[in-house]
Structures are given as C-alpha cells and as structure tokens.
Amino acid sequence: MGFELLGRRNERDLLDRLLRDVRSGQSRVLVLRGEAGVGKTVLLDYVTERTPTDRVVRAAGVEPETDLAYSTLQLLCAPLLGHLNRLPEPQRDALATAFGLKAGRPPEGLLVGLAVLGLLAEAAAEQPLVCVVDDAQWLDRMSEIILTFVARRLDAESVALLFAVRSPANEQLLGGLPELRVDGLPNADARALLGTVLPGLVDAQVQDRIVAETRGNPLALVELPRGLSPAELAFGFGRRSATPLVGRVEEGFQRRIAALPADSRRLVLTAAMEPVGDVPLLWRALTRLGVGAAAAAAAEEAGLVELGTRVRLRHPLVRSASRRCAEPAELRAVHRALAEVTDAEQDPDRRAWHRAHAAVGPDEEVAAELERSAGRALARGGRAAAAAFLERAAELSADSTARCRRVLAAAQARFAAGATDQVAGLLAAAELGSLDPVQLAEVERLRARVAFALHSGRAAVPPLLEAARRLEALDPAAARKTYLSAVGAALNAGRFGGDDLRFVARAARRGPEGAEPAGLLLAAFTTWSLDGQAAAVPLFARALDAVTVETDVDLAWLVGLVLHEVWDDAAFQTLTEQAVSFARETGRLSLLPSALTFRATALIFAGRFADASELLEEAEALAYAAGPSPHPATAVILAAHSGREEPAVELIDALAEEAATGGMGWLLSVAGYSKAVLFNGLGNYPAALDAAQRATEHDDPAVQQWALGELVEAAARSGAHAAAARARDRLAERTSLAATDWAIGTQALADALAGPDAEADERYRTAIDRLASTQLGLQLARARLLYGEWLRRSNRRVDARTQLRSAYEAFSTMGAEAFAQRAGRELAATGETVRKRAVGVPEELTPQETQIARLGAAGRTNPEIGAVLFLSPRTVEWHLRKIFTKLGISSRRELRTAIDSSPR
C-alpha cells in the first residue's frame, strides 16, 4: 500500500553503505526522522528488500499499545527466540520474564537490554541481521529504553538497527544516535509523483503550487488531490489553511472514511483499534458487531485498509482519522467486541485494556482485571505500563478504599518509572479518600522522594522537612531517611540556603535515633552542622564503616561527601568501583548513570582522565534512554583539569548559571573551584586566586578542601602571602582531624607553599612521600610540579629536572594539557629539551580495551566480560583480537604479563 521510491539518491547511497558495512562484520544504527508521510517507511522498505527475508525482523510502534510493556520489543524479538537458550542464564531468565514466557523476579532494564543485545548477536552469528522499527514515536516506554540501550552498545555483531520516528515532535526519542533527516522530495521528483495521481491535465502553475504547499511530502502529494477535479485543483487546492499539513492529510482520510457505508466505516475503525493486525481476530470482532465480509470491499477500494495475511492500514494517520470520525458509543462498542474475542488466557492484558475502554462508569470487575494486569506488568519490569493499568483501574473503582489503594500503587509505579512529575497529582487524589496509617506513611515517603528528585536544592527543604515530621510517628526509619534528604537539599543549597541546614539539623536531632546507616549518617551530619567538624569526624567514620553498596546504594551521593570529610582515598576508589559493579551486575538502569559519574570523579583524582571520560560518555548515553541525567559537576571538573581554556570556561560558566538559577550553592562552589584549577594550570594565578576565593566563601563539604588547596597555590604564586597563610590554616582545621596519607600530604603541600621558605624542602618531600602512598595520582603530580618549580627557583636544576620530568610525564599521560605545558616550560627552563608527547592519547590500549584485557587476564569468559561491560560476546571477541595484535600476543595466557607491561 506504499508508493514507489522515487529519487532519494543520497538516501539510497547512505543506506547502501550501511548494508555494506553490516555485511563486512560491523554493526550500524540509523534513526530516520521526518514528518508523517515523508517516506520514512519506504526507505525502510528499500533496506529490507535488499536483505534476504529470513535475515530481517520488523516491528512498529502502535499508538494504542504505548501502555503495554515490551509490546514492540517482543514483536521484534519473537522471530529470534530460537536463540534464547544460547544466552547466559541470568540474561535468558530476564528476557523470558520480561516477555511473559516464564515467571520470575521482575527483571532490571540493563539485564533485559543485555539479553536483547546477546539475542541479536546470536542471530547474526552466521549471517548479517537487519532489524527495523517503524513508528518509533509510539514505542512503549520499556521498548524505548531497551532498544536505545542496545543501539548504543552494538559494535561488531553484523546487525543493522533502523528506526523511523515522526518529527518535529519526539526529538529526544533515540537522541544521540546517528540519524538521517528525511525531507520532502525535490521539485522535479515531487512533480513526477504528483503526475501519477492527477485526474487529467492540470496547469503547470497549479502543479507548482501543490508541490510548494505539500513541501514535496509524498503522502500529501498522493492524498490531497484525491477526488478533486482539475478545476477544483486549480481553484480550491491553493486556499490557504491554518491546519498543518499532517492535519490536512488526516482530514482527507476522515472525508474518505465518512463517505464509506456504515459497515465499512465500522470495519476500518475496528481494524484501527486492533493493533496486532490479526485478521481472524478482526473478523471475529466484526461478526459480533454485525459486520459482514462485504464491508471490506469498499474500505479496500478506498485505499484505507488491506486485508491479507495481516491487517494493514494505508498509513497510521488512518488510525487517528477513524477514531475522530467515530462517536464515543461506537468506540466503546468496538472495544467491547475486541475484548470479547481476545483470549483471556493468552492475551489477558490486551483484553483488560479493551474492556477498560469499553466501560462507561465504575466497574469493579474490570478494575480488578486491570489491577491484575498491573501486577503482571510489574513482574515483567514494566512500571510505566503498570501505572497506566492502575490509573484506569482507579477511575473504574466504585469503592473509595479500593480507589485510594490503586491510585497510591499507580503513584509508586510512576515514581519507579521515572515519571516524577506525574506523582504529585496521584498522591493528591489518593488523599481524597480514607487512608490507613501505612498508606499515609507511603504517601509521605513518596512525596519526600518526589520533592528531592524534582528540586534537590533549597526548594526541596520545606516539603522534605514536613514529610519527615509526619513520618516520625508512622515510620521512624523513613523519617530519618527523609531528614537525611532534607540535610542533603540544604547542603546542595549551600550559600543560597541561609540557615536552612542548622534548622533541619535541629529538627532531625529532636527526632528518633537509629543505628542503621541512614541513621548514623544523619547523626553525623547533624553533629557536623550544629557542633562542628571535629565532633562529627568520628561519627562520619562510624557511618562509613556501616555503609555497604548492596544495601545502601541510595546513600552514595552523601557517602561521597563523607569520604572527603574523613580523607579516605582508598575507600573513595573502592566504593565508587563497587557502586558501578553493583549497578551493572543487578541491571539497575536507574542507578548506573549516577554510579558511573560517582566513579568518574574518583578516576579524575586518580589521574585516569581517559577512563573517567569514557564513563561520563556512557552515563550520558544511558541518560538518553532513562534518567537520571549524569551530574554536570564531574564533567566540569574533568574539563578544568584537562586544561583547554575555551571549552572549559564555557562549561564552568554554564554550571555557575545553572547553580544560580536553581539555588544550588554547592554547584557554585564547584564552578569556582574548577575555574581555579583551570587558571592555576594555565599559570594565570590572579584569576585562579579570584575564583578560589569565591569558591571558599561558604563551607561546602567535599569541594571545600580541594578549593582551599587551589587557593593556597594561587595566593602563594600571586604574592598574596597573607591570603595563602589564611587558606593554609583553614585547611589545617580539616586535615588535622584525619591521620591519613591524603590529609597529611595535602597539608604538607600547603605548608610548603605558604610557610617559611627554609622549611619548604622538607615539607614538599613529605607531601610527595605521603601522596605517593595514596591512589591520588593527580595530586601527586601536582606536588611534584610545585616542588620542581621551587627547586628550580632555588637554583637546584638537577634536582628540579627529576621532579619536573615525572610531573610532565604524568600530566601528559593523564591528558592534563595545561599542567603538562606548565611542567614543560619549567623543565625547559632547567636546560632540558622537552620531548613532545601526544597528550592524553594512550600508547597502546583504549580504556575499553584495557578493561576487556584486565577481565580476560582474570579468567573471565567472553559472556562474562560482556555482562560486565554491556557488550555482546561477539564484540568482546572482536576487541580481544585487536588487543592481541596491539600487545603482540596470541592467547589469553599471555594477557596478564602483557598488560602489566603496557603503559595503561
């Protein structure tokens, strides 16, 4: 029912190249974006026609199916399920549970995504595979998340994954993937297509006007002139209309539907309401509606529907046009008929959905059926689908108690699905009924979590505090977590929060105490804000000992602050690595972006910029599919240390603007600290001094100690000795409370910069010795640079070269360009010729290759490595071949020795 592909030379060339790449063993992803009717489906057909039929799987989003979990994904994967048993057991079970093939624990999104990735790779193991998803704007939420994830991980599987998405809406859908913008046909091709449908001779100027008005849209060119005479085209088509082009095409379909006999109209409507395209089911429903086989002829003759092995509509716009033509009673009648002929055992959820749309008023039987469907959706990991079922069930509930229960469950599901902005209205609806104490507690818990998710700064403090107070009598443990969230919001607000932190701390101190990690953290932060840091540090250490990643992963954002307060760099590295491993292994898609960002921060200070950058890119990519977006602070800190002034300043200024707009004083301190780092690296010490002074105006945890270090250096190098001494003394108030190498080394460096010159040599050496015992490679290189500069000014050039050479090599390997250039200038001043190095470019293995090599050397199999890194086993094998070539080895047995000697 499509139209012939006319022209499109550039598009065809691109698609031909894509197919050649896939046949050569590479994977390719492409998103076709364009308005309705512009020819996206025809281009998809062009690809599939050039691929053997048994190597193509195809599915399409359908508007009525957007609330059914995995509906499109299951259609796409159904022909490939013969390969299911070749997947590792956790992935196999996750996918089977998601598709309702077996009962099991609700699968996490990452495990389902990895299973789909493996399934495609297995199916393409012998011959390339082409996967096509049309009308992706109507993907259900879980299909969207999983397919976006898979699209970003395809690499060497010989899989083509193509999507068609209607625009200009849905621009964020499948964002960041390679795309092809599909516009209207060029004028010559548009006139040629128009000539195939015109009813006789039409003046060339009229044809030009039609082409111009339709902007070369093929569907509009074919459909809008339909039924018009040459005279009507000449005098009527050119009337200006405020209706958008797509709306005019839909209006044309409405006119054609309205002109049909009543039974044919009902046939088209039923076909539009039955999204699967099941011809026998359609006829069973039509029989119940009293529509006979003769009704099909007029609908097919009008070009609206085609009944073959599947039901096919002329275009998705026919679906919406038929609904607009129907009266509400007729819509309900069609849904009722479809529900009656849908198998309650094989397809209970679709049956329930049709029954729900057929209901006129409260219907407890249908509401209960929808609630059961919600339970099945949750068991498959479909939280958004469960919420939709529960919301409709609540609407149909006759009993107020049942209605409140269902609305509250819908709110929980919406929050779990990431639709935070929809939760407040549902909670308000739940409170209209009579809630028991347990339900009241859940309302308050959810309200608190929503408040923090939507506004993690000062605006969140009052609602969080109110929720915590209400929860004290209902759920003391939840009250403590909510108070802790209020503390976090006040910390984020920083200088914009006034006395909020102390106000929250006083309220929390009056509440019930607890010995669980959240309770211990709350006690520590309460003490920190009311009694000072010295009293809080032992409590922070105790809380840190109690926290485990597996059970307290939601506290990671506060644990990061605690690690800095106790100066524990080993825990900083260990806990961040564990957080990422936990999120990966459990498939927690909602946790992974923040865990990756948390880990990237630790890697920056370890001097592993390339690894940090890769994790940030992965976090950003995952956030396109499902939130939360990665925290912007880490990317800004990385840009500052990388030392490229223009892009770094742009990012820093954007963060400062965001901080001011959102009332996030903590972020404002991060921006000031980052600018101080950047300008210290560039040797612009007055600018660094100004930025560091602004960053340290408020005692923001974690960032404060880093910013004070930058302030000492900038002030000392600017000749502001009194400011350097004050900053050193403020830093000492913090470092004196922790006897760790990180704290002692940091203070020794500050003392060397701001103290008597006669004592500088010993203090520099103490700083280097202590920092060398930590995992803070970046700080060690900074200490060597500063010591080398001091030695050169002291005329000890030979000693200076040793320190400066080490600093230069370290900064160059990290990718800290400004600091490397600064070290290089100092080294040249000692009389040594500086060997130019490619800054930040690994000499042998990429960060991902290094990860694969390490896992392979540890004895992990390809499927196990793939599960950790979210790659298919085939892609792991492809990378291993490249790794062997780079390292000059031929087997896994040689990996350990080879990677130990590799620069990475």
Side-chain angles (χ1 to χ4, degrees):
M1 297 184 68
F3 35 82
E4 182 182 352
L5 181 59
L6 193 63
R8 302 290 191 194
R9 170 55 57 191
N10 292 337
E11 290 89 343
R12 284 185 287 168
D13 287 346
L14 186 150
L15 294 172
D16 287 340
R17 288 196 301 273
L18 179 147
L19 286 175
R20 284 196 299 272
D21 289 344
V22 172
R23 289 173 189 140
S24 71
Q26 303 173 70
S27 289
R28 289 291 180 263
V29 174
L30 187 64
V31 180
L32 283 67
R33 295 189 188 273
E35 64 181 354
V38 80
K40 303 182 295 296
T41 300
V42 177
L43 289 170
L44 295 180
D45 291 341
Y46 176 85
V47 173
T48 59
E49 287 165 3
R50 280 151 182 75
T51 308
T53 304
D54 64 342
R55 307 313 300 158
V56 174
V57 291
R58 189 162 187 163
V62 182
E63 193 172 5
E65 299 269 270
T66 53
D67 288 320
L68 295 180
Y70 302 108
S71 58
T72 307
L73 184 68
Q74 191 161 5
L75 277 175
L76 187 72
C77 292
L80 309 177
L81 291 179
H83 301 281
L84 188 61
N85 288 333
R86 298 171 66 180
L87 300 181
E89 185 177 0
Q91 298 170 30
R92 183 172 67 243
D93 290 347
L95 194 60
T97 304
F99 288 171
L101 303 177
K102 61 171 289 186
R105 294 180 59 187
E108 291 291 345
L110 286 177
L111 284 179
V112 177
L114 191 56
V116 173
L117 179 63
L119 193 68
L120 299 184
E122 291 295 341
E126 296 179 0
Q127 296 182 63
L129 179 69
V130 172
C131 306
V132 171
V133 182
D134 205 351
D135 287 318
Q137 71 275 2
W138 289 319
L139 287 173
D140 63 275
R141 180 60 175 155
M142 289 310 299
S143 293
E144 175 195 342
I145 289 172
I146 300 307
L147 287 171
T148 303
F149 168 82
V150 169
R152 294 183 179 282
R153 308 309 296 185
L154 285 169
D155 194 345
E157 296 83 1
S158 295
V159 173
L161 182 52
L162 297 100
F163 302 90
V165 183
R166 186 180 296 181
S167 64
N170 305 296
E171 293 300 311
Q172 292 303 311
L173 181 67
L174 305 169
L177 296 175
E179 35 178 82
L180 170 64
R181 292 280 170 173
V182 183
D183 298 315
L185 294 170
N187 287 346
D189 293 332
R191 278 193 293 270
L193 178 61
L194 180 63
T196 65
V197 297
L198 289 176
L201 293 175
V202 175
D203 187 88
Q205 290 183 327
V206 173
Q207 292 187 44
D208 289 342
R209 189 169 70 244
I210 294 172
V211 168
E213 284 197 30
T214 61
R215 301 188 301 278
N217 182 295
L219 182 67
L221 287 167
V222 170
E223 292 295 334
L224 290 180
R226 185 183 290 268
L228 300 178
S229 67
E232 289 171 321
L233 285 170
F235 298 106
F237 190 86
R239 290 196 303 267
R240 294 200 174 272
S241 171
T243 305
L245 181 64
V246 170
R248 293 170 64 188
V249 174
E250 185 178 315
E251 288 173 357
F253 285 133
Q254 288 181 38
R255 288 193 296 271
R256 286 157 65 183
I257 292 169
L260 293 173
D263 278 0
S264 298
R265 287 200 306 272
R266 182 158 287 191
L267 182 146
V268 173
L269 177 62
T270 309
M273 293 295 96
E274 195 290 296
V276 181
D278 186 330
V279 175
L281 185 143
L282 173 65
W283 281 118
R284 291 199 301 272
L286 289 171
T287 299
R288 288 183 177 264
L289 292 166
V291 176
E300 290 190 299
E301 186 177 337
L304 294 167
V305 67
E306 181 182 281
L307 302 179
T309 55
R310 308 290 295 177
V311 181
R312 292 187 63 195
L313 299 177
R314 171 70 175 86
H315 190 273
L317 289 174
V318 174
R319 195 183 305 279
S320 53
S322 66
R323 287 203 306 270
R324 293 181 191 277
C325 288
E327 296 293 330
E330 188 175 16
L331 283 169
R332 288 194 296 272
V334 169
H335 276 297
R336 188 177 302 111
L338 287 168
E340 289 169 353
V341 300
T342 299
D343 192 310
E345 294 295 326
Q346 298 296 319
D347 205 353
D349 299 335
R350 196 170 277 113
R351 178 178 182 272
W353 200 238
H354 281 308
R355 291 191 72 192
H357 282 80
V360 179
D363 188 322
E364 184 56 33
E365 181 184 340
V366 176
E369 190 173 343
L370 286 168
E371 194 169 15
R372 290 191 291 274
S373 289
R376 285 189 292 269
L378 285 174
R380 298 166 61 194
R383 299 179 181 95
F389 283 124
L390 287 163
E391 287 169 20
R392 182 58 177 153
E395 294 170 6
L396 296 176
S397 300
D399 177 68
S400 62
T401 301
R403 183 185 306 114
C404 288
R405 184 187 75 248
R406 288 160 179 161
V407 169
L408 183 55
Q412 293 167 323
R414 286 291 180 203
F415 184 82
T420 314
D421 56 332
Q422 300 177 37
V423 178
L426 291 168
L427 292 178
E431 288 180 310
L432 293 175
S434 178
L435 299 175
D436 62 32
V438 174
Q439 291 172 322
L440 282 170
E442 181 56 27
V443 167
E444 295 303 334
R445 277 195 296 269
L446 268 178
R447 183 168 282 127
R449 296 175 73 186
V450 167
F452 191 75
L454 291 177
H455 307 285
S456 57
R458 192 178 195 188
V461 173
L464 285 167
L465 201 53
E466 182 62 27
R469 285 169 172 159
R470 291 183 183 179
L471 280 167
E472 284 185 11
L474 298 168
D475 188 336
R480 287 188 289 272
K481 273 202 169 184
T482 306
Y483 274 124
L484 195 55
S485 294
V487 167
L491 289 171
N492 284 340
R495 67 193 68 191
F496 296 129
D499 202 37
D500 283 1
L501 181 58
R502 293 181 62 80
F503 185 72
V504 171
R506 284 193 291 267
R509 181 168 279 182
R510 291 191 295 268
E513 296 182 359
E516 78 283 6
L520 295 175
L521 279 171
L522 179 61
F525 276 108
T526 298
T527 301
W528 183 81
S529 58
L530 296 178
D531 306 323
Q533 188 178 22
V537 165
L539 300 180
F540 279 132
R542 182 184 172 203
L544 193 59
D545 287 340
V547 170
T548 61
V549 169
E550 291 77 7
T551 57
D552 306 303
V553 68
D554 57 327
L555 301 177
W557 59 284
L558 280 172
V559 169
L561 304 182
V562 173
L563 290 167
H564 284 76
E565 294 303 313
V566 299
W567 297 82
D568 191 339
D569 65 285
F572 192 22
Q573 297 297 328
T574 300
L575 287 176
T576 55
E577 188 169 20
Q578 288 175 351
V580 172
S581 297
F582 176 75
R584 289 193 194 281
E585 289 167 8
T586 58
R588 302 281 291 276
L589 187 57
S590 59
L591 294 176
L592 189 56
S594 57
L596 290 167
T597 307
F598 188 28
R599 176 65 179 149
T601 306
L603 290 174
I604 291 170
F605 293 112
R608 294 167 56 185
F609 290 9
D611 293 340
S613 179
E614 185 175 82
L615 293 188
L616 288 175
E617 288 175 7
E618 183 180 354
E620 187 68 40
L622 288 169
Y624 272 112
S629 295
H631 202 291
T634 304
V636 170
I637 293 169
L638 178 59
H641 283 95
S642 297
R644 292 182 287 277
E645 183 173 3
E646 187 173 340
V649 168
E650 185 177 334
L651 282 174
I652 293 167
D653 288 346
L655 182 67
E657 183 178 347
E658 179 184 337
T661 302
M664 302 281 280
W666 190 85
L667 282 184
L668 198 61
S669 294
V670 172
Y673 156 69
S674 299
K675 190 165 282 190
V677 167
L678 175 67
F679 287 124
N680 270 333
L682 292 167
N684 185 348
Y685 301 114
L689 175 60
D690 179 65
Q693 286 175 326
R694 284 185 281 109
T696 55
E697 287 172 354
H698 192 275
D699 191 16
D700 293 301
V703 68
Q704 184 72 189
Q705 66 195 66
W706 295 109
L708 283 171
E710 299 301 327
L711 179 55
V712 173
E713 180 175 338
R717 287 291 187 262
S718 298
H721 301 297
R726 286 193 299 272
R728 173 203 61 196
D729 294 343
R730 288 176 63 188
L731 186 61
E733 293 173 3
R734 310 175 75 89
T735 58
S736 62
L737 301 172
T740 66
D741 287 322
W742 179 7
I744 295 169
T746 298
Q747 189 60 47
L749 189 60
D751 291 340
L753 283 163
D757 200 56
E759 300 174 5
D761 186 82
E762 180 183 351
R763 289 174 175 173
Y764 276 125
R765 284 189 281 108
T766 298
I768 290 170
D769 288 345
R770 290 290 189 159
L771 291 172
S773 299
T774 71
Q775 299 181 45
L776 302 169
L778 176 60
Q779 294 309 100
L780 175 60
R782 294 280 299 270
R784 291 190 184 280
L785 170 61
L786 289 166
Y787 186 31
E789 290 174 333
W790 181 85
L791 288 168
R792 187 189 69 78
R793 290 196 305 275
S794 300
N795 228 10
R796 294 166 57 183
R797 294 192 174 193
V798 174
D799 293 337
R801 286 172 193 154
T802 301
Q803 299 299 330
L804 293 170
R805 192 182 304 114
S806 293
Y808 176 73
E809 293 289 333
F811 287 134
S812 297
T813 300
M814 292 174 196
E817 293 185 14
F819 283 108
Q821 290 168 7
R822 179 175 146 188
R825 289 192 299 270
E826 289 287 333
L827 194 55
T830 68
E832 180 165 319
T833 301
V834 179
R835 180 171 60 88
K836 294 290 185 181
R837 290 194 50 181
V839 177
V841 179
E843 291 186 351
E844 295 188 6
L845 301 183
T846 67
Q848 185 177 73
E849 288 169 349
T850 301
Q851 288 178 297
I852 292 171
R854 287 173 179 160
L855 291 167
R860 298 285 191 100
T861 65
N862 287 1
E864 288 170 342
I865 296 172
V868 171
L869 300 179
F870 301 142
L871 302 170
S872 74
R874 187 173 179 183
T875 291
V876 173
E877 178 61 34
W878 180 70
H879 279 298
L880 279 171
R881 288 197 298 270
K882 290 174 62 181
I883 290 166
F884 289 173
T885 300
K886 287 185 176 184
L887 298 182
I889 61 177
S890 58
S891 72
R892 288 173 181 259
R893 291 190 301 274
E894 301 171 83
L895 268 175
R896 170 54 59 196
T897 302
I899 62 174
D900 284 346
S901 61
S902 168
R904 291 197 62 80

